[in-house]
Amino acid sequence: DLSSTTKMEERIHAIYSSFQIQFGDKTGLRAGLRYEHTDNILIKNIGGNLIKRNYGNLFPNISFSHQINETQRLQINYGRRINRPTFNQLAPFVLFLGPDALYSGNTNLQPSFINKYGIEWGWAGKNFTLEYVKEKGAIIEFQPRLSENGEQYIFKAENMDYKNILSASIGIPLQIAPWWNTENNITFLSEKLRFNFNDIVYNRSKGSLRLNSSQQFSIGKTTKLELSGYYQSATLFGIGTFGSMGTLNLGIQQQLHKNHGTLQMSFNNILASE
């Protein structure tokens, strides 16, 4: 029941073009267009099940930028791309997670297609970004299904109907004191998922928050210390939910006497929070 022989052949042909136009000193446009055609044949248990994937797609991208003044810059982006299943997601191997749980690849996975829209505004070293990502057929890892005998859970990657994410982030570097610099990034995400799983249609939505921070301290002329870390609130994960997580790291750098080198020491996840 857990053995198979599978052969896969994949050919990807592509042609692309890109150009750049400058409208004066402050405004520019960059654009490109890529066409890809994919032939994929997968034969499971040689001479048995046959899975064919044959598709062609256009992938445009465009970026418009404008320097408003010496300290402010605006950029608008759009791009379309493909996310193909990885080898581990496709290969029908079996990994035992325990007596009642297995992980396996999913030979029926299809690629997902992503449309990404973004606006970025930068001023005086700070930046604000607004992005909207629409992903059709999004691939989500570790979705559980019961085995045919009903005795084990089999975890596989699955295609969702879609996954849409609206995110807003702001990055703020600051010098609090001559000896203290800080860089902080705050991101808010609103996620929506839709998929049919075990003949049940799921519509899920959730907001989440991610904080990244780095604090650099100069202790005298030869010693530097850095504290960095992040916090991520709970996020969607297919039919499940990832709990909140975070970590804190510490780094120390000492300049040796007469510039004979530097000594560095770092501690990752010092609170053992992951």
Side-chain angles (χ1 to χ4, degrees), residues 29 38 54 89 110 148 150-151 223 227 229 233:
L29 178 70
T38 301
N54 187 298
Q89 291 171 341
Q110 298 293 326
E148 292 183 3
E151 295 180 358
T223 306
L227 280 172
S233 64

Side-chain angles (χ1 to χ4, degrees), residues 2-206:
L2 301 177
S3 299
S4 66
T5 303
T6 304
K7 179 181 180 181
M8 186 177 77
E9 294 183 1
E10 184 173 65
R11 294 182 177 88
I12 302 171
H13 304 278
I15 183 171
Y16 62 92
S17 178
S18 63
F19 65 90
Q20 180 173 340
I21 301 175
Q22 195 69 28
F23 304 99
D25 296 332
K26 296 184 177 181
T27 306
L29 178 70
R30 295 167 58 183
L33 183 65
R34 179 181 178 90
Y35 175 80
E36 287 189 7
H37 187 270
T38 301
D39 283 313
N40 182 292
I41 298 176
L42 188 146
I43 305 172
K44 188 175 180 181
N45 293 326
I46 300 302
N49 297 333
L50 178 67
I51 299 174
K52 290 185 177 181
R53 300 177 180 88
N54 187 298
Y55 50 88
N57 295 278
L58 284 171
F59 300 101
N61 66 82
I62 187 168
S63 176
F64 173 84
S65 62
H66 178 66
Q67 190 73 37
I68 300 172
N69 52 43
E70 292 183 357
T71 60
Q72 298 186 65
R73 184 173 185 270
L74 178 68
Q75 184 165 317
I76 302 173
N77 306 301
Y78 166 73
R80 186 172 188 262
R81 63 183 178 88
I82 186 172
N83 180 25
R84 292 185 176 85
T86 66
F87 174 83
N88 284 342
Q89 291 171 341
L90 283 171
F93 64 89
V94 173
L95 175 66
F96 287 86
L97 305 175
D100 301 319
L102 314 171
Y103 175 82
S104 178
N106 183 354
T107 56
N108 294 310
L109 274 182
Q110 298 293 326
S112 68
F113 295 91
I114 301 167
N115 287 282
K116 183 177 180 180
Y117 310 81
I119 298 175
E120 183 176 343
W121 176 35
W123 76 101
K126 307 172 184 65
N127 65 80
F128 173 79
T129 303
L130 183 68
E131 287 187 346
Y132 181 56
V133 177
K134 296 180 65 177
E135 185 172 5
K136 182 180 179 180
I139 299 172
I140 307 293
E141 280 273 23
F142 290 101
Q143 300 304 296
R145 292 184 182 271
L146 277 174
S147 61
E148 292 183 3
N149 60 21
E151 295 180 358
Q152 292 99 13
Y153 278 104
I154 301 178
F155 293 86
K156 295 183 179 182
E158 302 276 358
N159 286 110
M160 308 289 103
D161 293 337
Y162 67 78
K163 178 174 70 172
N164 297 340
I165 300 177
L166 176 65
S167 67
S169 65
I170 184 168
I172 307 173
L174 293 173
Q175 183 174 18
I176 298 174
W179 48 271
W180 183 3
N181 290 301
T182 177
E183 296 181 13
N184 303 280
N185 187 275
I186 304 171
T187 303
F188 174 78
L189 296 98
S190 176
E191 300 178 83
K192 288 186 177 181
L193 296 176
R194 176 184 169 86
F195 53 99
N196 187 314
F197 190 74
N198 288 338
D199 298 324
I200 300 175
V201 176
Y202 289 82
N203 286 284
R204 307 192 67 201
S205 61
K206 186 173 181 57

